[in-house]
Amino acid sequence: MATFNCTILLFLLFLPSPLMAYIVLVDSYGEECFFEHVLNGTQLQLVFQVLVGGFLDIDVLMVDPKAKPLYHRRQATYGAHSFRAPIHGRYFFCFHNTFSTQVPKLIMFNFDYYDIELENELMLAQNDLEAMVHKVEMGLKFIKTETEYMHARTRSHHNINENSNTAIMAWAIIEYSLIVFLCMWQRYYILRFFEVRRTETG
């Protein structure tokens, strides 16, 4: 567990700053749930990425105010889901780590929604320029979020490669040390054997 905590600390130190996302730790055999109160017709978007823990997988479930499933992924490393809210109320989304009994998971996620009232105002104003600026703003926000998650995935894969290389190097050093030790022990044993035989014959 101490090793896992150190891994989380080192990972957080190398995350891009500022980072427009939330980070949550889901314990082994646990779950973390969140909700957002939105209006009917609001555009919603959930983006998540498993940063640290086990095989970098998590179960994700999103339901509407009537507990109807809207999005469900099992053992996913990364995911993005965008939809328009069909009804008014609280929308819940949960990260489940119930299939893992020993390894916690560090999750980075965003849950964005676009203000439907602002969109209606733009439509009523019939100002093409303002509507275009609003669409460009939303597009840039989405691109920024995707870029941050790509950076996080790259960092995660880099850490996995570094850990693998370190483990391989450590095992190579251990194997080499064992071979050297066995050679020295065999040489010592053979020398002692012949010394004993020489003493007996003398």
Side-chain angles (χ1 to χ4, degrees):
M1 189 66 180
T3 304
F4 184 80
N5 293 333
C6 292
T7 304
I8 292 177
L9 180 59
L10 290 174
F11 195 95
L12 293 178
L13 289 176
F14 287 101
L15 282 177
S17 180
L19 182 64
M20 302 301 294
Y22 300 99
I23 295 178
V24 61
L25 179 64
V26 185
D27 289 330
S28 57
Y29 207 74
E31 65 178 8
E32 294 290 339
C33 295
F34 307 88
F35 72 88
E36 190 71 43
H37 195 90
V38 299
L39 299 175
N40 178 27
T42 301
Q43 186 70 27
L44 304 173
Q45 181 187 50
L46 172 66
V47 183
F48 67 91
Q49 168 74 39
V50 183
L51 301 179
V52 179
F55 294 103
L56 301 179
D57 53 355
I58 198 75
D59 290 351
V60 184
L61 175 64
M62 181 187 297
V63 297
D64 64 10
K66 295 183 178 180
K68 178 182 178 181
L70 299 174
Y71 177 72
H72 187 205
R73 290 282 304 276
R74 292 184 57 83
Q75 299 185 356
T77 298
Y78 167 82
H81 181 61
S82 179
F83 66 99
R84 191 172 294 275
I87 58 176
H88 174 79
R90 289 183 177 180
Y91 287 78
F92 287 83
F93 60 97
C94 298
F95 299 104
H96 299 273
N97 195 26
T98 53
F99 60 88
S100 178
T101 58
Q102 295 181 349
V103 182
K105 305 293 175 62
L106 188 68
I107 314 295
M108 180 173 68
F109 70 93
N110 257 340
F111 189 67
D112 294 327
Y113 61 94
Y114 307 136
D115 192 351
I116 191 65
E117 294 182 357
L118 179 58
E119 291 185 358
N120 291 335
E121 290 177 1
L122 292 174
M123 293 178 62
L124 292 175
Q126 295 183 353
N127 190 325
D128 293 338
L129 180 59
E130 290 183 5
M132 185 179 299
V133 169
H134 178 65
K135 289 182 179 179
V136 171
E137 180 184 359
M138 294 298 101
L140 290 176
K141 184 177 180 181
F142 178 76
I143 292 173
K144 182 179 180 182
T145 301
E146 287 293 319
T147 303
E148 291 174 349
Y149 278 85
M150 287 178 62
H151 182 83
R153 289 198 299 273
T154 302
R155 173 61 60 181
S156 177
H157 295 158
H158 176 75
N159 290 340
I160 292 174
N161 291 335
E162 287 294 327
N163 292 336
S164 300
N165 293 336
T166 302
I168 292 172
M169 180 64 69
W171 276 111
I173 293 174
I174 292 173
E175 290 177 356
Y176 178 78
S177 301
L178 286 174
I179 291 173
V180 172
F181 172 77
L182 289 175
C183 291
M184 294 178 65
W185 181 81
Q186 286 180 348
R187 181 177 181 274
Y188 172 79
Y189 179 80
I190 292 173
L191 289 175
R192 288 287 299 171
F193 175 78
F194 283 109
E195 286 180 0
V196 172
R197 293 294 298 271
R198 189 180 301 115
T199 302
E200 291 178 354
T201 57

